[in-house]
Amino acid sequence: IGAALGASALSGCYARDTEPVAAPEPELGEPLQFTFGTISGGEVSSDTTRGRTTALLFVTTYDLPSQAEAQLLRDVLSSHKPVANAAIVMMEAPQAAGLAQVWADSIALKWPIAMASPTLMAGDSQLGRITGVPTLIVLDRRGRLLANSEGALGREAIRECLTRADAH
């Protein structure tokens, strides 16, 4: 019974058994449209982030690689020039907003924290289906998709994604 209970409890988790895979180089298309309400009552959207390279990191509070990736992104962005936008999107129910804030505070993140919308969770948004965490999406200044990488990336890979976006 215990094994069955454990398996069913994990069935809804965002986890993978494989190594991280970088998505193929995307074709630059039209700017993506998205809007997420933040847990502080603000908004992270295609309109509020336009004008700067933007890193959207999709995570969960219960996933250690998500925490590590957030810390790496924080460290890379602290010295990245030009300044880039960053936001956390929690792939959890809205009821976890308080836990999301504690999570962000524990690793000294000052970025907006949004809870994933039902549309995003269903895979019906312009950002596509997020199938695992952490997932890093990088948009250029115009809001065009430049990187969509599932799984933990190292500092250099994060820096490369941001630099590539800055060049567009």
Side-chain angles (χ1 to χ4, degrees), residues 58-141:
F58 297 80
V59 298
T60 60
T61 57
Y62 53 83
D63 177 65
L64 288 178
S66 290
Q67 183 175 352
E69 192 72 0
Q71 291 171 313
L72 283 173
L73 181 59
R74 178 199 63 207
D75 294 348
V76 170
L77 285 174
S78 70
S79 62
H80 182 76
K81 301 292 183 219
V83 174
N85 295 318
I88 294 289
V89 181
M90 285 289 175
M91 298 297 288
E92 297 184 39
Q95 297 85 343
L99 181 58
Q101 185 63 61
V102 170
W103 180 90
D105 290 347
S106 74
I107 56 175
L109 291 182
K110 303 298 182 204
W111 311 324
I113 303 166
M115 303 305 285
S117 65
T119 304
L120 177 67
M121 295 288 272
D124 295 332
S125 76
Q126 280 197 341
L127 296 174
R129 187 174 227 21
I130 307 299
T131 59
V133 295
T135 291
L136 177 65
I137 291 181
V138 178
L139 308 172
D140 71 3
R141 291 179 291 249

